[in-house]
Every structure is written in structure tokens, then in C-alpha cells.
Amino acid sequence: MIHLDRVAHEIKTVGLYDLVLQDIQKILGKTRVNEEEILKILTTHPQLLQDYMQINVEYNLSNIHLRDIETNDLKDECQKMAKKINVNLKQLRALEKYTLDFEQSATLVIIFSIEFFVLFSVQYFIVLLNLKEWQGLIYSLFASSIAVAYWYGKKEQKKYATNNAIYEKMYGETLEMIKNLEEKRCIKKSNLIIERCEEHV
């Protein structure tokens, strides 16, 4: 559901993707590249497409470059399937954040940040407030916070894995439904493609 022509255009023109563009320039060995060259590199170096998609997820931009299907003019079976596709597209957009590796997610950054704050607080209470007689208890609380952070991190990691699996399954099913709807001449997929991201305009 990603539109590669749009991807190539955005990599070339939008500063958000400069690192991906620089990698493409390095592969091609030149600084001026056109969209056709970018498309070719994306097909031979799929990791660069993954990098583009990860940037989007990190900045809350969707990699699903399809708009919802207008169902009012469709007849019974086509309308029913189109409505299901629209529901799936909404769910897929909500689940996209779980397509990131957990190790690179904002959740893990937040956990580490909280632990750093707790460690800083521990040092503050012991050293600056001269609470050395309480340091055993304070360090025990800090150790407990590490255990809680570890448990929460594992819980979130499992949540990411579960939701990513749901996303992958639903993504494939939705693509198949769109293909079936197009074969029945209910829709034209090309009419659903979102050519440009409004956030970049």
C-alpha cells in the first residue's frame, strides 16, 4: 500500500529523508539524482525503503498511501467489502507504530529516561541531602524501580510483537481484498493513491 513514486519524490525533495537520499547518492556515486534512479536503488536496496518507512512511523506519518474508499456509489457486495477495507485501513494506521523495532521505539527511550531520572534523584538524596544512613533503603528502592522498568519493558516488547503480527496479517488480507474489489471493477486502486503528504506541502 506504499506508493513508490511518492516515496522517490519525497526522498528527493523533502529534507526529512536527507539521510536516505545521502545513502542513495553514495551508492550511485553522484550528488544529483533523479526520481527514476531513486526508484531503481529502492528496488535493489530494500533497507533504504525500510529506513524511509521507519522515519515516517517515528514522525507519525503513515506508510499507507491509500485513502478510504468512497462507498456511497457502490452496490451491495462491493460496498460491504469496501467498508471492511476502510475499517482495516483505519486499524492499520493505528497499528503502524508497532512496526518499529521495539529497541528503536519511543517507549524504550521513555523507560530509560525515567530510570536516569530516578538514578539522579537517588544521588541527590544521598549526597546533597546527606542521607547516607538511608542509602541502603534508597538503593533498594532504586533496584526495585529497575525491576519494575524491566518488567514493563518486557510487557511492552511483547505488545509490540503481538501488534506487529496483527498488522502484518491484516496488511496482507487488506491488499488481497483491494485486489478482489478491483478485479470485480468496483474500484480502481490508482484512484485511491494519495500522491502527496499534506504534512510535506
Side-chain angles (χ1 to χ4, degrees):
M1 282 180 264
I2 197 161
H3 183 47
L4 289 177
D5 289 339
R6 169 176 160 177
V7 174
H9 176 76
E10 289 180 351
I11 289 173
K12 180 173 168 52
T13 61
V14 179
L16 185 61
Y17 310 104
D18 277 353
L19 289 176
V20 180
L21 179 60
Q22 288 167 16
D23 287 341
I24 291 170
Q25 290 168 334
K26 188 185 290 184
I27 291 166
L28 290 171
K30 57 183 183 177
T31 55
R32 296 179 68 85
V33 296
N34 59 44
E35 291 178 23
E36 290 76 23
E37 291 171 320
I38 293 172
L39 276 172
K40 186 177 178 184
I41 293 298
L42 290 175
T43 56
T44 58
H45 295 77
Q47 181 55 46
L48 294 174
L49 180 58
Q50 288 301 317
D51 292 344
Y52 165 90
M53 293 170 72
Q54 181 168 322
I55 289 167
N56 279 347
V57 173
E58 288 171 354
Y59 283 88
N60 293 319
L61 300 170
S62 182
N63 289 309
I64 298 170
H65 298 163
L66 293 181
R67 62 178 53 86
D68 288 353
I69 300 168
E70 181 54 58
T71 59
N72 293 336
D73 297 331
L74 297 178
K75 296 204 164 72
D76 301 327
E77 188 183 342
C78 290
Q79 188 179 67
K80 185 178 177 183
M81 191 181 291
K83 284 181 177 178
K84 174 63 176 164
I85 290 169
N86 288 345
V87 168
N88 282 11
L89 289 174
K90 183 177 180 181
Q91 286 181 290
L92 286 168
R93 291 183 191 108
L95 290 170
E96 268 189 290
K97 62 184 174 185
Y98 297 108
T99 60
L100 276 179
D101 289 337
F102 178 70
E103 289 75 16
Q104 299 173 352
S105 70
T107 305
L108 198 59
V109 172
I110 290 168
I111 291 170
F112 279 125
S113 299
I114 291 170
E115 280 308 299
F116 179 78
F117 175 75
V118 171
L119 177 60
F120 178 80
S121 299
V122 164
Q123 294 302 324
Y124 174 80
F125 283 119
I126 291 172
V127 177
L128 296 178
L129 295 180
N130 199 18
L131 296 175
K132 289 184 180 171
E133 66 273 11
W134 296 94
Q135 69 181 0
L137 176 62
I138 293 170
Y139 279 122
S140 297
L141 290 172
F142 177 61
S144 299
S145 77
I146 291 174
V148 169
Y150 179 79
W151 168 80
Y152 182 74
K154 284 296 183 185
K155 180 182 168 193
E156 285 297 299
Q157 188 176 29
K158 186 177 178 184
K159 182 178 175 183
Y160 266 72
T162 302
N163 285 325
N164 190 11
I166 293 169
Y167 177 90
E168 293 296 333
K169 185 171 184 285
M170 188 179 291
Y171 189 95
E173 290 171 354
T174 306
L175 272 180
E176 193 61 35
M177 286 164 52
I178 290 170
K179 182 181 174 186
N180 290 342
L181 211 53
E182 191 168 32
E183 285 172 355
K184 292 178 181 178
R185 300 179 185 238
C186 301
I187 60 162
K188 283 182 71 176
K189 186 178 176 183
S190 58
N191 293 336
L192 303 177
I193 293 172
I194 304 168
E195 296 282 347
R196 296 288 179 264
C197 176
E198 290 181 8
E199 283 87 345
H200 297 329
V201 176

